[in-house]
Amino acid sequence: MKYLCLCAAALLVSLGCSTTNTVNRVSSESSQVRYSEHEGYEDRFRNLYDDVKNYPVTCTDNCYPPHEDIKCQSSMQDCQYVGKRPKVQLNTGFDITWLGHATFVIKTPDNKQILVDPVFGQFDWPVNWGFRLAEGFNRNLPATLSQRDIMQTDAVLYSHIHYDHFNKNDIETIGNNTEYLVPLGFAEHFPNNGYSINEMPWYASYALADTQIHFVPAHHFSNRIWVPYLYEDNNASLWGGWLIEHDGKRVYFAGDTGYSAHFKAINERYGNIDICLLPIASYHSEESPRWYRKVHTTPEDAIVASNELGCKVVIPWGFGNATWRMGDKTSHSALFRLLHMKQQLNASMPWVVLNEGESASF
């Protein structure tokens, strides 16, 4: 009884100290969304383009041969990329740091710091509890930032609400002295603590000083909460990628996505992309191969997409020692496949492969 009273008191104190968030809907005449046509779910979102029936390229045989540029402790597992980086001089003024999985730190030419999909630890509650109970897989912790560096953040961008891209504990770490840019339907997942949240549909834009941040489509889905027969939030919030633009120079973060016509559409609207941050992992499944590829690009899909986007340089992500290996053979199988398919497709554009914690300037 004493414990319950203490918990109730703590809850009342926390509610009394909370500060209401500020939620701003950012939109324009050119913004787009697409809603479900299923009866009773007309308020749910759907992908802008229909599913791909036939992919342009598919690796079928010997997709993971050894490569001298990757050194591993075991077969395609616990690896480091040791190959030479291609020399790329684009004079964009952007600095890119990959912390692991989908988390990037982007420094803009006007000295703004942007965090993309920051997840500094494991899955958020309650999935972390479920993993402990089921003795599930936890990733190695990614590279991180000091609290001082985190406090320099000017904007935080989230691509969608899946647990490996959005963690509420990290919001508390980052704090409320920054702008949060999120897809539509996302703000309700934030704790109430005075956060400034900007919800955006596809092709909406936000000005961060002299930098324009555009929310663009991806071919994916969203869900976070499922209570059997009581509650589900399938596609109740939007998903997408981000295009960061300064003085005509562009960085594109694709978010989780499968291959679709949206890559060509982004190029048609914004032009060629200087720096593309493209996912290459989480496409493998023995039980549901079509589903996994529908919502995650294979390495060869990413190569095709890079051409359609007009990328001048590409940084791949999604693999690595700090990933949960969901939909992957091993920690680095996707990277082995990428290097193999680059050779098979005679991909000429430079791909800059980073290990977690490494940076590149363009």
Side-chain angles (χ1 to χ4, degrees), residues 122-138 163:
Q122 305 297 341
F123 286 144
D124 205 354
W125 183 90
V127 175
N128 58 344
W129 283 18
F131 264 50
R132 291 172 189 163
L133 292 174
E135 297 183 352
F137 178 81
N138 279 326
Y163 285 87

Side-chain angles (χ1 to χ4, degrees), residues 20-305:
T20 302
N21 298 333
T22 300
V23 180
N24 179 37
R25 289 286 182 93
V26 180
S27 188
S28 67
E29 292 182 0
S30 61
S31 299
Q32 287 183 257
V33 292
R34 191 182 185 195
Y35 290 101
S36 171
E37 297 176 353
H38 293 290
E39 184 177 356
Y41 295 89
E42 292 86 355
D43 60 337
R44 304 297 178 93
F45 299 106
R46 61 183 295 194
N47 285 309
L48 195 57
Y49 299 96
D50 293 333
D51 298 345
V52 175
K53 304 302 181 185
N54 297 295
Y55 292 92
V57 182
T58 300
C59 183
T60 56
D61 298 310
N62 191 30
C63 298
Y64 305 93
H67 200 287
E68 62 182 3
D69 288 346
I70 311 175
K71 302 300 182 185
C72 302
Q73 295 183 18
S74 58
S75 179
M76 294 189 295
Q77 185 67 43
D78 299 322
C79 309
Q80 289 287 306
Y81 179 77
V82 296
K84 292 183 178 179
R85 289 184 188 172
K87 294 182 179 180
V88 182
Q89 292 183 332
L90 299 177
N91 298 317
T92 68
F94 282 101
D95 297 323
I96 311 293
T97 301
W98 182 43
L99 298 185
H101 194 57
T103 303
F104 284 90
V105 184
I106 300 175
K107 297 287 185 65
T108 69
D110 55 347
N111 202 34
K112 298 298 182 183
Q113 178 172 288
I114 298 172
L115 290 183
V116 182
D117 282 4
V119 178
F120 300 137
Q122 305 297 341
F123 286 144
D124 205 354
W125 183 90
V127 175
N128 58 344
W129 283 18
F131 264 50
R132 291 172 189 163
L133 292 174
E135 297 183 352
F137 178 81
N138 279 326
R139 67 167 176 169
N140 296 323
L141 290 179
T144 189
L145 298 173
S146 68
Q147 187 61 39
R148 179 180 179 181
D149 287 337
I150 291 174
M151 296 305 293
Q152 303 302 313
T153 301
D154 297 286
V156 180
L157 316 182
Y158 287 110
S159 63
H160 63 300
I161 61 169
H162 285 156
Y163 285 87
D164 56 326
H165 292 256
F166 171 64
N167 189 306
K168 294 182 180 181
N169 289 334
D170 296 327
I171 298 173
E172 297 176 3
T173 299
I174 298 165
N176 55 17
N177 193 30
T178 188
E179 293 291 330
Y180 290 88
L181 278 61
V182 300
L184 291 178
F186 202 113
E188 66 181 65
H189 294 278
F190 272 67
N192 237 357
N193 195 28
Y195 299 107
S196 178
I197 307 167
N198 301 276
E199 284 196 342
M200 301 168 66
W202 292 320
Y203 295 125
S205 300
Y206 179 92
L208 181 69
D210 294 327
T211 297
Q212 291 290 321
I213 303 175
H214 313 282
F215 186 53
V216 295
H219 196 80
H220 202 56
F221 68 107
S222 75
N223 56 11
R224 191 171 178 89
I225 304 170
W226 178 63
V227 180
Y229 307 108
L230 294 178
Y231 184 85
E232 52 79 25
D233 63 350
N234 292 327
N235 297 339
S237 64
L238 200 56
W239 53 90
W242 295 98
L243 188 72
I244 303 167
E245 186 172 18
H246 183 276
D247 197 23
K249 304 296 185 180
R250 304 175 185 93
V251 177
Y252 167 62
F253 172 80
D256 270 358
T257 183
Y259 176 80
S260 89
H262 72 281
F263 293 119
K264 290 181 180 178
I266 290 170
N267 175 270
E268 290 170 359
R269 183 176 291 248
Y270 299 104
N272 292 341
I273 312 298
D274 296 279
I275 307 163
C276 293
L277 314 179
L278 299 184
I280 64 166
S282 299
Y283 55 83
H284 173 76
S285 170
E286 298 290 349
E287 295 79 17
S288 304
R290 289 192 61 82
W291 165 252
Y292 271 75
R293 189 174 185 180
K294 171 185 171 181
V295 295
H296 296 102
T297 50
T298 64
E300 55 267 33
D301 292 333
I303 292 171
V304 173

